[in-house]
């Protein structure tokens, strides 16, 4: 049972880690598009009514891409002195994944979470005592206690027998040692 409980705890720890990693990926690589479509009235408070934490709110990639060629491109992020052209500023978030890549990775992360949840369900289903009543579990415990006492009695009997055999062996080895060493001492 302890082995199943250890496996269950490991799976729960892994599931928590997967949740954390999934949330980290989703919050880091999304395209900042609104979760609620903008053409649904009263679905979400208007941006003008929301308090602003920064002076320039992020522009969703879907809105920036849909604005067409007439719109001016967003200004490039400021480059640090000595930074190469291909390097990204470490203070800036990474570029969002493409919609296809993001959706593919979402499905993969969701599948991994479902598989881990199914492993946990299986481990719970094979725990001893699942599906049995409290009275049945108590009867099984009493039966196991009787078996444990019987085995403990046998173990104590074997330990006593082992002590007797060790004593006999020590006597034989002592007699052999006296016989071998006794002759040599007598010759000197």
């Amino acid at each position: 049972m302890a082995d199943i409980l250890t496996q269950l705890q490991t799976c729960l720890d892994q599931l928590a880690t997967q949740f954390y990693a999934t949330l980290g990926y989703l919050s880091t690589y999304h395209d900042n598009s609104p979760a609620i479509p903008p053409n649904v009235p009263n679905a979400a408070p208007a941006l003008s009514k929301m308090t602003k934490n920064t002076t320039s709110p992020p522009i969703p990639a879907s809105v920036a891409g849909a604005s067409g060629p007439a719109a001016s491109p967003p200004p490039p992020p400021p480059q640090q002195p000595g930074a190469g052209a291909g390097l990204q500023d470490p203070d800036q978030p990474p570029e969002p994944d493409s919609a296809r890549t993001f959706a593919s990775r979402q499905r993969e992360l969701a599948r991994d979470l479902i598989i881990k949840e199914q492993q946990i369900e299986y481990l719970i289903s094979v725990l001893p005592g699942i599906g049995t009543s409290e009275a049945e579990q108590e009867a099984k415990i009493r039966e196991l206690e009787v078996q444990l006492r019987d085995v403990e009695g046998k173990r104590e009997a074997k330990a006593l027998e082992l002590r007797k055999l060790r004593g006999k062996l020590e006597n034989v080895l002592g007699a052999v040692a006296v016989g071998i060493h006794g002759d040599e001492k007598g010759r000197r």
Side-chain angles (χ1 to χ4, degrees):
M1 182 167 90
D3 187 45
I4 294 174
L5 290 177
T6 303
Q7 291 176 19
L8 184 59
Q9 181 63 51
T10 301
C11 282
L12 288 171
D13 291 344
Q14 290 170 345
L15 182 65
T17 302
Q18 283 179 282
F19 277 135
Y20 180 77
T22 299
L23 288 174
Y25 172 78
L26 294 175
S27 63
T28 303
Y29 291 98
H30 63 84
D31 66 354
N32 291 324
S33 62
I36 300 172
N39 57 358
V40 178
N42 299 327
L47 289 177
S48 61
K49 295 180 182 177
M50 297 175 75
T51 59
K52 296 181 180 176
N53 294 333
T54 63
T55 57
S56 60
I59 299 171
S62 59
V63 174
S67 60
S72 62
Q79 292 276 334
Q80 291 182 356
L87 298 177
Q88 184 176 350
D89 183 7
D91 296 332
Q92 297 295 320
E95 291 293 320
D97 282 342
S98 69
R100 172 180 258 166
T101 302
F102 190 72
S104 171
R105 289 184 179 163
Q106 276 182 316
R107 281 190 298 276
E108 182 180 346
L109 291 168
R111 188 188 74 238
D112 291 345
L113 289 172
I114 290 169
I115 289 171
K116 187 57 65 179
E117 183 270 335
Q118 289 172 343
Q119 288 176 345
I120 291 170
E121 280 186 13
Y122 171 75
L123 289 172
I124 290 172
S125 72
V126 297
L127 282 172
I130 299 296
T132 58
S133 70
E134 186 177 342
E136 291 171 331
Q137 290 180 22
E138 288 178 3
K140 181 69 174 176
I141 289 172
R142 279 189 236 104
E143 178 184 327
L144 290 172
E145 285 176 346
V146 169
Q147 289 177 1
L148 182 62
R149 286 188 193 110
D150 183 42
V151 169
E152 182 64 23
K154 289 178 183 177
R155 187 195 66 78
E156 288 175 0
K158 290 292 183 183
L160 180 62
E161 182 182 347
L162 182 62
R163 275 187 245 121
K164 288 179 182 178
L165 289 173
R166 186 173 63 196
K168 287 181 181 179
L169 181 61
E170 286 175 355
N171 289 339
V172 169
L173 291 175
V176 169
V178 169
I180 292 173
H181 297 294
D183 290 352
E184 288 180 15
K185 288 181 183 178
R187 290 184 189 166
R188 289 183 185 183

